[in-house]
Amino acid sequence: MNSSNPENGIQDFRKSECNNTNIINTEFSDINLNITNQTIPNNCKEVSRVDKVELYEKYFEVIKKNIDYDYLVSLKHFCPSEVHRINEILNIITDMVVFNDKPVLINSINYPPEIIKSVFMKLNSRNILYVLNSLDESKAEIKNIKKYIISMLYNSRFSIENYNTVKDNLEYC
């Protein structure tokens, strides 16, 4: 059977069977999330609204623990507006992990959603503090703050040590 259309040469791709992939245990993540497989859909049928809310809430709690939320909000220099900023970042991370199913453009590279999910599930309090400090220090006009934060969160996993080294060097000079 020829899968291309003879008139225009475009291939006709038909949906076959679904991938029954467990989105938590990806090859990119080494984190045990302690969420049962019952929370992850096992077929390609549309996930019900209730299931999505439950899935979001479970990931929200796991991510909250990963970033050590209680520690972040307990820091003395955080006022209510700072707690609100932490909550916004927590929601952005959870949105990206639960709802993102398309590549994300960061640094002119389209990253697959699985890589984004894996990186975001590994974020911790140091990454969040890095992002907050970087936002505080930024003098640039930011047109799309959510995209900017997503990019900063992703990049924080790979640049935080260099950031801390530069900051320490400035303090000792």
Side-chain angles (χ1 to χ4, degrees), residues 20-165:
N20 290 328
T21 305
N22 182 336
I23 64 171
I24 292 176
N25 297 320
T26 67
E27 62 187 346
F28 301 107
S29 178
D30 58 357
I31 296 174
N32 179 3
L33 300 178
N34 296 324
I35 298 178
T36 66
N37 288 338
Q38 295 173 349
T39 62
I40 309 302
N42 288 326
N43 57 38
C44 287
K45 294 180 181 175
E46 185 66 28
V47 178
S48 75
R49 187 177 305 260
V50 173
D51 289 342
K52 280 203 177 214
V53 169
E54 288 177 8
L55 185 63
Y56 186 90
E57 289 171 352
K58 287 182 180 189
Y59 270 106
F60 184 87
E61 291 304 317
V62 169
I63 293 166
K64 199 172 178 180
K65 183 178 178 187
N66 289 352
I67 67 169
D68 202 359
Y69 178 87
D70 294 333
Y71 165 74
L72 288 172
V73 298
S74 71
L75 293 175
K76 292 179 184 176
H77 66 279
F78 280 125
C79 63
S81 65
E82 292 296 308
V83 173
H84 183 71
R85 291 174 66 200
I86 294 168
N87 289 334
E88 286 179 355
I89 291 172
L90 174 60
N91 285 314
I92 289 171
I93 295 169
T94 309
D95 286 350
M96 293 302 293
V97 169
V98 175
F99 298 121
N100 181 48
D101 59 353
K102 296 179 182 170
V104 177
L105 185 66
I106 298 174
N107 304 331
S108 302
I109 300 172
N110 274 320
Y111 290 96
E114 297 81 14
I115 289 176
I116 299 296
K117 289 174 185 178
S118 174
V119 168
F120 278 40
M121 288 302 299
K122 295 173 186 171
L123 295 174
N124 59 42
S125 60
R126 291 181 64 220
N127 300 108
I128 305 309
L129 290 172
Y130 166 79
V131 168
L132 290 170
N133 290 336
S134 296
L135 285 169
D136 290 342
E137 295 170 3
S138 176
K139 305 286 187 235
E141 179 184 351
I142 302 168
K143 295 185 182 192
N144 187 330
I145 190 69
K146 184 174 180 181
K147 283 185 180 181
Y148 189 78
I149 291 172
I150 290 168
S151 178
M152 289 181 69
L153 287 165
Y154 182 86
N155 289 325
S156 73
R157 285 281 299 155
F158 310 104
S159 60
I160 194 167
E161 294 307 322
N162 287 312
Y163 171 83
N164 289 332
T165 300

